[in-house]
């Protein structure tokens, strides 16, 4: 027999029943409201009437109320964050407990030992000179070829003799290659002369890195869009020249090697010469962090360019404090570390340049000293503080960024009488030149120079180079250089005191007061022609005039 189908009971009600229920609910709610009214309990929140306009100190009262509200919000946020962290810690402990139960005892013991060691040993400071030197030495040891990146605006000042000597003395028959970067900021004749001069020691590659390399994700998004930005991609900053020549050189050297392992190429040089930009241009992707700020790279980083070539990025060479002030302003990280003021760095740079060329370049009238120049420069760029006072510090930072970054066009004269350094010899030069396809390098450099748009000789500022910059490669060098740094600092202050002209009253108001000039003024009392009269300086509590002094 077929089983009858069971149906669910319907929820439909008759109208009379539904109305009856609604009436009962209304009566119940009314009863509750009456009882609450009798007890004096009200659900309604009274509206805040606010502070009346006629009330005295209205603004202060409102400000205090706002502060109280903010404090309550902050307290709530703090409690919420603390609870969140507590929950995260609890979950972490539970996970660790569960994993420890499953792990073998030997592995647990090893992990406990490693944790104890890490607790005892403090984490290394990545900004310390010792860390930067050790990372640089790691790159040199790991590399088969070392590329020393030089700023084409001052190639001699970008060279580090200590670094080159260390590469030549290391075991493993390492090759050293010089790379002239930022050639688009130097007149063409000057670049050609420097290439001829430097080729007498090491092979030289002319290069212009791209400064507008995007991340992979940004590039993928850009490819989806209709190519209306192609004109921007061919702009001066986005273009890269010399990468094909360098890639061919390195791949041919890697192919000629007997070892099957990939060729490791270390990229070294002073801060902001373009090491990370070079790697990004070779990879054509934002592989390393790069920017106008100096000292962004803190540790070594490996980037695969091709199947058998690997580039290694390195932190900048630490400049020795015994270098001249102009070299320190361009090559060291003293300004970023707070050891030297930006104003001092700008003053030293201005002394190395022709004043008329600076005036034409920045479109600024005649100035007497660095502070007056920065005041005019700040007004020109619109760097103003409250009350329209020129912000000389911001102007100095912008000026220094122009000179250290890839913006300002200046050049140094190439050496006429060339002589090999003490650590070089004809045999070393021949050894460094061997293994490279020099004809291919020459044709590659010629093609690079044809493609780059160079500035005119007249529009480029002539700069006086201070020669090679000494660098520090070990911790012992740092400890030895500390006493000499103080001595050179004292000499620099004396030179500034003798060379810097007097500050005007207006300049002193806008900029910072300079101590060396104050001391020099106090040492020359012979300027005042009035006869000195002894004055009694003892005053009473109030400065009331005593009539007995004049009227007795």
């Amino acid at each position: 027999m077929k089983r009858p189908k069971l149906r669910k009971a319907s929820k439909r009600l008759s109208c009379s029943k539904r109305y009856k229920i609604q009436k009962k609910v209304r009566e119940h709610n009314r009863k509750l409201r009456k009882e609450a009214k009798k007890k004096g309990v009200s659900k309604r929140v009274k509206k805040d009437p606010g502070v009346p306009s006629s009330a005295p100190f209205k603004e202060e009262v409102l400000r205090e109320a706002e502060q109280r509200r903010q404090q309550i919000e902050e307290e709530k946020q703090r409690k919420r964050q603390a609870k969140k962290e507590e929950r995260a810690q609890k979950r972490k402990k539970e996970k660790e407990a569960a994993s420890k139960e499953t792990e073998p005892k030997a592995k647990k013991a090893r992990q406990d030992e490693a944790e104890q060691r890490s607790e005892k040993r403090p984490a290394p400071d990545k900004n310390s000179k010792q860390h930067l030197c050790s990372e640089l030495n790691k790159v040199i040891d790991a590399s088969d070829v070392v590329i020393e990146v030089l700023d084409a605006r001052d190639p001699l000042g970008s060279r580090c003799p200590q670094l080159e000597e260390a590469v030549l003395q290391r075991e493993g028959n390492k090759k050293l290659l010089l790379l002239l970067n930022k050639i688009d900021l130097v007149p063409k004749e000057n670049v050609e002369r420097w290439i001829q001069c430097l080729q007498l020691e090491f092979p030289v590659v002319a290069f212009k890195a791209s400064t507008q390399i995007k991340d992979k994700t940004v590039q993928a998004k850009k490819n989806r869009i209709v190519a209306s930005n192609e004109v921007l991609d061919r702009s001066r900053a986005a273009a890269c020249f010399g990468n094909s020549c360098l890639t061919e050189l390195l791949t041919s050297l890697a192919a000629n090697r007997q070892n099957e392992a990939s060729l490791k190429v270390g990229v070294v040089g002073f801060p902001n010469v373009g090491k990370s930009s070079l790697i990004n241009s070779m990879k054509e992707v934002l592989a390393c962090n790069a920017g106008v700020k100096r000292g962004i790279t803190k540790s070594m980083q490996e980037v695969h360019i091709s199947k058998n070539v690997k580039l290694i990025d390195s932190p900048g060479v630490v400049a020795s404090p015994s270098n001249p002030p102009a070299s320190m302003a361009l090559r060291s990280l003293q300004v970023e570390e707070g050891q030297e003021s930006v104003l001092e760095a700008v003053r030293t740079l201005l002394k190395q340049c022709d004043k008329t060329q600076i005036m034409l370049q920045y479109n600024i009238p005649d100035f007497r000293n660095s502070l007056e120049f920065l005041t005019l420069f700040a007004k020109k760029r619109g760097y103003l503080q409250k009350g329209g006072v020129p912000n000389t510090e911001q102007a100095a930072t912008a000026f220094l960024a122009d000179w250290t970054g890839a913006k300002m066009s200046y050049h140094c004269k190439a050496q006429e009488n060339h002589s090999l350094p003490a650590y070089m010899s004809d045999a070393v030069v021949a050894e460094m030149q061997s293994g490279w396809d020099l004809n291919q390098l020459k044709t590659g450099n010629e093609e690079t120079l044809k493609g780059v748009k160079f500035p005119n000789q007249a529009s480029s500022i002539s700069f006086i180079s201070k020669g090679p910059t000494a660098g520090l490669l070990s911790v012992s060098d740092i400890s030895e250089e500390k006493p000499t740094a103080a001595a050179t600092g004292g000499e620099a202050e004396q030179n500034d005191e003798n060379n810097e002209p007097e500050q005007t009253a207006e300049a002193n108001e806008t900029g910072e007061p300079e101590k060396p000039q104050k001391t020099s003024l106090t040492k020359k009392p012979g300027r005042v022609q009035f006869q000195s009269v002894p004055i009694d300086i003892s005053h009473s509590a109030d400065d009331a005039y005593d009539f007995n002094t004049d009227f007795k």
Side-chain angles (χ1 to χ4, degrees):
M1 188 179 165
K2 194 176 178 183
R3 193 176 175 183
K5 206 170 189 181
L6 296 172
R7 296 178 73 180
K8 286 184 180 178
S10 174
K11 291 183 180 179
R12 293 178 70 180
L13 298 171
S14 63
C15 290
S16 60
K17 200 171 183 181
R18 190 166 70 245
Y19 295 148
K20 199 174 181 180
I21 291 165
Q22 287 174 1
K23 190 179 177 184
K24 289 276 184 187
V25 169
R26 279 198 303 272
E27 283 173 0
H28 176 71
N29 288 338
R30 196 182 298 121
K31 191 178 178 183
L32 289 176
R33 281 200 299 274
K34 275 185 180 179
E35 285 174 3
K37 197 175 181 182
K38 280 177 185 176
K39 289 175 185 177
V41 179
S42 178
K43 278 188 178 180
R44 286 183 186 176
V45 180
K46 286 185 178 180
K47 189 181 175 183
D48 184 17
V51 184
S53 300
S54 59
F57 313 113
K58 181 185 175 182
E59 290 180 3
E60 285 82 348
V61 172
L62 289 171
R63 203 179 298 118
E64 284 173 11
E66 184 64 26
Q67 284 173 359
R68 275 199 301 276
R69 192 182 62 75
Q70 284 178 358
Q71 283 173 3
I72 291 161
E73 283 292 323
E74 284 171 8
E75 191 65 33
K76 281 182 183 175
Q77 193 70 25
R78 211 177 293 117
K79 284 178 181 177
R80 208 176 290 129
Q81 191 67 27
K83 281 181 182 177
K84 205 175 180 182
E85 286 173 5
E86 198 177 328
R87 284 197 297 271
Q89 287 285 342
K90 199 175 178 181
R91 281 197 297 269
K92 195 177 179 183
K93 282 177 184 175
E94 285 171 3
K95 279 183 183 177
E96 284 175 0
S99 62
K100 278 181 182 177
E101 285 172 8
T102 55
E103 284 175 359
K105 289 181 180 179
K107 196 174 181 182
K108 279 183 189 176
R110 282 200 301 273
Q111 282 183 351
D112 291 337
E113 283 177 15
E115 282 175 9
Q116 285 174 3
R117 280 181 207 149
S118 63
E119 283 173 6
K120 288 176 184 176
R121 188 174 57 217
D125 182 16
K126 288 192 175 182
N127 293 319
S128 66
K129 290 181 179 179
Q130 285 86 351
H131 173 76
L132 297 174
C133 289
S134 66
E135 288 293 313
L136 184 63
N137 283 312
K138 280 182 198 172
V139 173
I140 294 169
D141 291 333
S143 306
D144 303 312
V145 177
V146 178
I147 297 177
E148 188 179 9
V149 183
L150 308 179
D151 193 333
R153 298 174 291 184
D154 184 12
L156 196 62
S158 307
R159 287 185 72 174
C160 179
Q162 289 78 9
L163 175 68
E164 292 174 9
E165 191 175 358
V167 173
L168 295 174
Q169 287 176 355
R170 295 289 164 99
E171 296 175 358
N173 194 19
K174 298 181 188 296
K175 297 281 184 187
L176 187 62
L177 182 73
L178 299 181
L179 185 135
L180 271 183
N181 194 18
K182 304 180 186 179
I183 56 170
D184 59 317
L185 300 172
V186 185
K188 189 176 181 180
E189 304 81 22
N190 197 263
V191 175
E192 288 171 347
R193 273 194 234 109
W194 272 113
I195 289 171
Q196 288 171 7
C197 180
L198 295 169
Q199 271 177 347
L200 299 172
E201 296 178 29
F202 300 103
V204 183
V205 179
F207 201 87
K208 190 263 164 191
S210 174
T211 55
Q212 288 186 358
I213 299 259
K214 302 290 181 187
D215 196 7
K216 274 184 181 178
T217 52
V218 178
Q219 230 170 10
K221 282 180 187 176
K222 199 176 180 184
N223 291 338
R224 289 190 220 124
I225 303 165
V226 180
S228 59
N229 294 331
E230 286 183 2
V231 179
L232 293 171
D233 289 346
R234 295 196 193 102
S235 66
R236 186 173 171 181
C240 176
F241 298 96
N243 56 344
S244 56
C245 171
L246 185 59
T247 309
E248 286 169 12
L249 270 176
L250 295 173
T251 47
S252 63
L253 185 70
N256 294 334
R257 288 176 78 220
Q258 295 174 354
N259 194 357
E260 290 183 3
S262 59
L263 181 74
K264 292 183 179 179
V265 183
V267 182
V268 298
F270 282 103
N272 241 27
V273 289
K275 302 182 292 297
S276 301
S277 298
L278 162 69
I279 293 171
N280 292 338
S281 301
M282 296 282 287
K283 183 75 174 171
E284 294 182 352
V285 169
L286 190 69
C288 305
N289 286 332
V292 179
K293 191 182 175 184
R294 293 185 286 185
I296 291 174
T297 309
K298 301 290 182 189
S299 54
M300 66 182 286
Q301 181 183 349
E302 292 187 356
V303 179
H304 287 269
I305 297 298
S306 62
K307 189 180 177 182
N308 52 358
V309 177
K310 189 193 290 183
L311 293 181
I312 308 173
D313 194 11
S314 69
V317 180
V318 179
S320 168
S322 60
N323 287 308
S327 302
M328 293 299 284
L330 289 171
R331 310 276 165 247
S332 75
L333 299 173
Q334 282 189 340
V335 174
E336 283 76 6
E337 290 169 358
Q339 296 175 11
E340 186 188 18
S341 69
V342 199
L343 303 169
E344 286 292 327
V346 171
R347 182 186 299 163
T348 50
L349 287 176
L350 286 172
K351 283 178 186 175
Q352 304 302 315
C353 308
D354 186 17
K355 190 202 263 190
T356 53
Q357 287 182 333
I358 292 282
M359 285 160 60
L360 289 167
Q361 185 72 37
Y362 286 97
N363 197 12
I364 278 171
D366 191 13
F367 56 91
R368 283 169 288 182
N369 48 45
S370 60
L371 196 59
E372 193 174 348
F373 165 76
L374 289 172
T375 306
L376 294 166
F377 182 52
K379 285 178 181 175
K380 182 80 181 170
R381 290 277 178 97
Y383 301 144
L384 301 174
Q385 292 174 330
K386 195 173 180 181
V389 178
N391 192 343
T392 50
E393 193 139 345
Q394 191 182 354
T397 308
F399 180 83
L400 195 62
D402 287 353
W403 281 71
T404 53
K407 192 171 182 181
M408 179 54 59
S409 172
Y410 65 89
H411 65 277
C412 300
K413 288 183 180 179
Q415 292 174 308
E416 293 177 2
N417 301 323
H418 181 267
S419 59
L420 290 174
Y423 54 87
M424 293 280 290
S425 63
D426 293 330
V428 172
V429 171
E431 189 185 342
M432 288 294 119
Q433 303 275 358
S434 65
W436 301 102
D437 190 350
L438 297 177
N439 293 324
Q440 185 187 4
L441 176 61
K442 190 178 178 182
T443 52
N445 283 341
E446 284 172 1
E447 285 176 12
T448 304
L449 294 177
K450 280 178 187 175
V452 177
K453 187 180 178 183
F454 294 96
N456 296 327
Q457 191 88 25
S459 63
S460 180
I461 298 170
S462 60
F463 185 77
I464 302 164
S465 180
K466 290 291 181 182
T469 308
L472 304 174
L473 294 179
S474 62
V475 181
S476 59
D477 294 341
I478 294 166
S479 57
E480 285 171 14
E481 287 292 342
K482 277 179 183 175
T484 57
T488 51
E491 287 172 15
E493 281 179 9
Q494 287 177 1
N495 292 338
D496 287 343
E497 188 177 322
N498 297 332
N499 297 336
E500 192 78 356
E502 289 179 21
Q503 302 286 343
T504 57
E506 187 183 342
N508 279 327
E509 282 174 11
T510 53
E512 58 169 8
E514 297 183 1
K515 290 178 183 176
Q517 292 171 5
K518 283 186 179 178
T519 52
S520 63
L521 286 171
T522 51
K523 288 177 185 176
K524 298 176 184 178
R527 291 184 182 179
V528 183
Q529 299 296 326
F530 301 110
Q531 191 176 354
S532 59
V533 178
I535 299 167
D536 186 16
I537 310 170
S538 58
H539 292 289
S540 58
D542 58 337
D543 280 347
Y545 178 70
D546 187 9
F547 284 86
N548 292 327
T549 54
D550 293 326
F551 305 99
K552 288 182 181 178

